[in-house]
Amino acid sequence: MSIRGEIHLTLNGEARNVKLDDQRFTVGRGPENSLCLPVSVVSRSQAEIIRLGNDFLLRDLGSTNGSFVNNVRITEQVLADGDVVRFGTNGPELLFRLIENESGEVISLEAQPRNTTAGLMAALSGRLNDLPGDVCEEVSVRQLLAESSLNKGDHDAALEVLAKYNDTTNLIPLPTPFRASVLLWVGRVYLERKQLDLAIDALQRSLGFYQQAEKGKDDETGLAAAYASLGRALVNKGDLLAARDQLHRAMLAARLAGNMRWRAEAHYLLGKVDWKEGDFEGARYNWSRAARMAEETGDSLLESRIQLQQALILYTEGKLKESVPVYRAAIKQINAAGNVRLLLKAYSSLSRALARLGSWRGVERLLDDRLRLAREHHLAKAEAVALTDLAELKLLQGYVAAAEAAIQEAVQLHGDTIYARTQRILGRVLQAEREVSLAVEAFEQGLAAARERGAIEEQVLIGFDLALIHAERGDQALARQQLETAESATSLDPALNLMARALYTRGQIHAFANEPNEANRCFSQSLSIFQTISDPFRTALSHAAIGELRLAQRRRESARAHLEEARTAFSKLGALAELRRVEAKLMSATLSDVQPAMTSVLPVMGGTAQLSLAHLAFTGGLQSQHLPEIQRILVAVANEDLAAILQRGLEVENYLVERAQDGREAFERSTNQHQTYQLLLLDALLEHKSGFDVCRELRKAKRETPVILLGGRQGVEDKIEALQSGADDFLSKRNLVFEELLAKVEALLR
């Protein structure tokens, strides 16, 4: 029985019947279409109808106003007899009929859920068993199934349907063009799966078969597609020179075939090569050419990919606000096309821009959508990427426990595969938890993965993280070496953001090395760039760093101005950890102003002012001669600002705090029979006698007063030395959380 399709429509008052005799029937406003509909709501290339045995598949070609079947917007759908097809919201309607040629009897099809990927696969897969004797038609159906799955982002389904002809050992005879086209589709699927070596192998074999085939129009088109796809794989691999060569070959083959679709793809990929080489103008030129061609061919997915790249250029140049509407326009188009994987990628890029702009609530809303979509479609990698972004956001907000939960889930989803960014965020979480050795291990694993995949930005950022850890540990030579290595990579990715972060990192290293002038210069330069590119969080970090430097230099007015700027920004963003740190510094600046004036009127014991303003308020003023029965703590910390903060914080908790200026004084006062302390808080790096030495000598003298040692580093070695010297506990001065210190004090004094 021979079946034919027919569509019935009325256009400009004229009724028409159009037979669907061709294998591929196109509909659109342009005169080159099989059915020309000269109506404004119809795109130049609106849709196509493809014959598959006795079935007819309607596929929208990324039209502006959409294609509808029975008032439901579709991407692609197998048509049933009696379906009403409409192009555009108020466009022309067509009635589809399925007719048996011999008798004219209308044949109805079995109803299926055809507007979903699963339904489409079911409808078309049935044709595979009906065509055992026609290998070429079977291959055509399999390629259509693969294309459908690929457009939806279902890579596994696409690969599965092609597996029969991807086996290099199979002996199924296929004409050379069909063998070439199967391998082309296999290569394209591997490309989407990021399996670049497999993709390159399949595409090179495809090219070999295309070069053997007679050069008809279809073969030239296939050759263009294979060259372009191989070029894309080489771009992703980082071999830009070879990629450019393949893309120029693709452009020539596409011209010979008269195929604008692959000319557009070649221009798009050449734009990516230009961008990776730092030629932004060349990238813009190629992408504008690609965009015009994509619009003419109705390739909405390519248009949206171009928009994503254009937004990325704006992002890279620091034009964050300008990038957001471009990202949103791309997302709208991708959402209409139904490509979930590309949609998730676009959401991720928009999240990054919003995070830099300080719109953390917007990022949280996007993360909810991303996690929902990834989980609904069982996309483990996309879910892991979203969880990594969530961990980073929670870390910025100061919620370390929530960050750890998210990043550990991301690591589990990645399985045995190491991803640079996930390892970087894992390292930062471990660093926040003071697991420095584990943090270094995570960073180094991430760095190796970034180098393997050519991920320049991640190499640079991880390099900065490692440089800061080494600087904090006191290894300035290694810190500077790590920084220089990271900075050298920025020449390959000249983003203003990376330049500013390099300057900020260098400033931190100078600060650790006690080089305030150099540190101030670097922080000031980073501040200027972060302000220029509208990055409020890192602008605030630079303000805070400058404020801390100037506070140490006793430039208190300038310090307060910078710290207030930082506090306002952190409060607005919700960066709680950084907010607490800045508020502590502001408290220190205030105390530094008050205390010199108070020393002239405070009662003196042993030649040293013993009571602070906070304690005066507690005791009822200067007239009180009888102190309440409270616990006494001796604080000996080298940094006066930190000592003042600790003193005030402990006094607010009703402890009597006294201070010693160096290790010698701390030992003498703690062994004085006329003074009794319930706890000693000692800096490991005190002058004249280190905190370690004070503790050792106290234990030799049979003094059992509880001791908490504060170290400049947070490594395991320092903690071990502290405990071996006889200390009861150890804390790092870096990232010191007062609540944690207070808990340890309370535990020792119970």
Side-chain angles (χ1 to χ4, degrees), residues 23 47 177-178 218 231 272 300 361 389 398 404 485 551 559 593 640 668 674 683 717 721 723 725 744:
Q23 192 77 21
F178 282 89
D218 289 343
K272 290 194 72 172
S300 62
R361 289 190 179 89
D389 287 353
E404 183 187 15
T485 302
L551 188 61
D593 285 344
E640 292 184 7
E668 290 174 355
H674 302 290
D683 195 332
E717 300 85 359
E721 185 178 355
L723 297 176
S725 69
K744 291 180 179 293

Side-chain angles (χ1 to χ4, degrees), residues 6 24 40 72 78 85 123 133 183 226 285 302 308 356 372 382 384 394 444 448 478 540 572 615 624 648 680 709 712:
E6 192 171 276
R24 181 176 182 268
S40 60
V72 177
V78 176
V85 179
L183 288 169
Y285 167 78
L302 180 56
L308 289 177
R356 285 264 306 276
R372 175 182 54 78
K394 293 302 176 186
E444 288 176 346
L478 187 55
K572 185 177 180 180
H615 183 69
S624 176
R648 182 167 186 238
L680 306 180
L709 271 173

Side-chain angles (χ1 to χ4, degrees), residues 437-551:
S437 297
L438 292 176
V440 171
E441 183 180 337
F443 286 141
E444 288 176 346
Q445 288 181 349
L447 187 60
R451 286 170 175 164
E452 182 181 348
R453 293 170 173 79
I456 304 301
E457 183 177 359
E458 288 303 322
Q459 290 182 51
V460 173
L461 294 177
I462 294 172
F464 294 163
D465 287 327
L466 283 169
L468 283 177
I469 281 186
H470 295 314
E472 189 173 350
R473 284 177 157 182
D475 193 338
Q476 297 300 319
L478 187 55
R480 294 176 195 271
Q481 181 185 346
Q482 191 70 64
L483 177 62
E484 288 168 4
T485 302
E487 284 181 320
S488 66
T490 62
S491 62
L492 302 173
D493 191 350
L496 286 174
N497 174 53
L498 292 183
M499 293 171 59
R501 291 173 78 160
L503 284 164
Y504 178 82
T505 305
R506 185 169 289 280
Q508 289 285 10
I509 292 172
H510 284 307
F512 279 119
N514 196 25
E515 299 166 349
N517 293 333
E518 291 84 354
N520 186 73
R521 177 180 56 80
C522 291
F523 289 141
S524 298
Q525 289 177 352
S526 72
L527 173 62
S528 177
I529 299 174
F530 285 134
Q531 287 174 326
T532 301
I533 63 177
S534 303
D535 188 334
F537 178 70
R538 290 183 175 83
T539 296
L541 283 179
S542 297
H543 273 302
I546 295 170
E548 290 185 32
L549 273 178
R550 295 183 181 176
L551 188 61

Side-chain angles (χ1 to χ4, degrees), residues 329-361:
I331 286 169
K332 184 178 180 181
Q333 204 158 17
I334 297 166
N335 200 26
N339 191 309
V340 176
R341 289 180 185 267
L342 190 58
L343 181 62
L344 285 165
K345 181 180 178 182
Y347 275 147
S348 180
S349 298
L350 177 58
S351 294
R352 187 167 65 162
L354 291 175
R356 285 264 306 276
L357 284 167
S359 181
W360 290 1
R361 289 190 179 89

Side-chain angles (χ1 to χ4, degrees), residues 41-110:
V41 296
V42 176
S43 297
R44 183 179 181 88
S45 297
Q46 174 78 26
E48 62 182 359
I49 300 173
I50 301 172
R51 180 164 186 159
L52 301 166
N54 290 332
D55 286 340
F56 293 84
L57 173 71
L58 172 68
R59 173 184 291 161
D60 186 86
L61 296 175
S63 64
T64 303
N65 296 311
S67 300
F68 300 78
V69 177
N70 302 325
N71 292 319
V72 177
R73 185 164 182 168
I74 58 93
T75 302
E76 50 193 8
Q77 183 168 328
V78 176
L79 295 172
D81 178 61
D83 279 343
V84 177
V85 179
R86 186 178 76 253
F87 300 115
T89 307
N90 299 304
E93 289 190 346
L94 296 77
L95 176 65
F96 175 78
R97 305 303 303 266
L98 195 62
I99 300 171
E100 183 184 349
N101 282 339
E102 286 80 6
S103 65
E105 181 185 357
V106 175
I107 308 295
S108 295
L109 299 179
E110 182 181 353

Side-chain angles (χ1 to χ4, degrees), residues 312-326:
L312 182 59
I313 279 189
L314 293 169
Y315 174 91
T316 304
E317 292 179 327
K319 300 175 182 177
L320 302 182
K321 292 180 180 178
E322 293 91 332
S323 75
V324 170
V326 183

